[in-house]
Amino acid sequence: MNTADPPTRLGFLIPERNVTCEVEFPRYLPAGVTAHFTRLPRPEAELRADSLVQMMESVDAQSELLTKIDVRVIMAACTSGTFLGGTDAAGELGARIERSTGIPGFTTSTAVADALCAMEVRRVFMITPYPHEITRTEAGFFEALGFEVTGTDTFACSHSPMIPALASSEVAAMADRHANEIAAAGALFVSCTNLATMDRIAEMEARLAKPVITSNSATMWRALRAVDLPMEEIGAGALFRRGLNS
């Protein structure tokens, strides 16, 4: 990229209490690519399904804000808010973004499905920070898409601020406790865009000998694929060496 060229701007809609995407994405984006964020309001911090789905009602208006800076793609960067409405709603959210802005739109939930397909994975062990009921709903979401969730574990956080308080080392330790189950699956998936993970992906892949896909790695990968940037090794796992449907 010529230094005189403008940056390739990627747009992200994040829940209002998400403090992790803005830290993780800029650390791993290729040179000449920048991340830009706006927030999806949600009046309460408690992790309740109806509240998380209701948060998506502002997607159209918040996406419009990102059109002012010429972003090339807009990602609804929230996992729970995009899977809790079901498989049809997850795809429709991306379509809503595109209809309201004219800019390609995708959700984290569909990005994870695309990432699993790119890695040729159908069986996955899943770690989440969510309450047990929401974790079970997420497993059902991916199973409805044709994946097999072979097992789950969760930090069972009840409120949003509890999630970024978890260190990525705690996620890695939980994965280690399930090493045998992960070995029997095709990959490990770590859910939630507010859960820090990306600095541990490469070492977890080396230790577990399995692909590791997280909500943030899948969201960022899908945004990069949407704007047709060349694939390159960025230190965030094997996913970034794969194209769509490879």
Side-chain angles (χ1 to χ4, degrees), residues 16-28:
E16 63 178 28
R17 292 176 179 84
N18 186 305
V19 296
T20 302
C21 291
E22 291 158 311
V23 174
E24 292 201 320
F25 291 171
R27 287 178 178 170
Y28 291 93

Side-chain angles (χ1 to χ4, degrees), residues 4 149 151 161 184 192 194 199 208 219:
V149 179
C192 188
N194 207 13
D199 66 327
L208 298 167
T219 300

Side-chain angles (χ1 to χ4, degrees), residues 85-223:
T87 56
D88 291 343
E92 174 60 18
L93 278 169
R96 274 175 54 191
I97 291 170
E98 186 156 6
R99 284 197 302 269
S100 63
T101 65
I103 296 168
F106 305 93
T107 72
T108 292
S109 293
T110 56
V112 171
D114 287 342
L116 291 172
C117 289
M119 296 301 296
E120 301 179 350
V121 168
R122 305 308 299 181
R123 304 176 73 249
V124 61
F125 187 91
M126 183 173 72
I127 288 174
T128 90
Y130 311 128
H132 292 284
E133 182 177 354
I134 291 178
T135 298
R136 287 192 293 270
T137 301
E138 182 171 24
F141 171 87
F142 285 107
E143 287 172 349
L145 291 175
F147 300 98
E148 180 185 352
V149 179
T150 61
T152 67
D153 200 354
T154 177
F155 291 98
C157 297
S158 60
H159 288 71
S160 294
M162 298 170 67
I163 298 174
L166 294 164
S168 61
S169 58
E170 295 177 80
V171 178
M174 181 177 279
D176 285 345
R177 292 195 292 273
H178 293 282
N180 290 339
E181 294 161 274
I182 295 166
L188 168 64
F189 166 51
V190 182
S191 185
C192 188
T193 59
N194 207 13
L195 183 61
T197 54
M198 289 187 68
D199 66 327
R200 300 283 174 174
I201 293 175
E203 70 175 61
M204 285 195 290
E205 288 189 335
R207 194 161 58 250
L208 298 167
K210 292 288 181 177
V212 175
I213 293 165
T214 76
S215 288
N216 280 353
S217 72
T219 300
M220 201 174 89
W221 168 84
R222 189 65 184 84

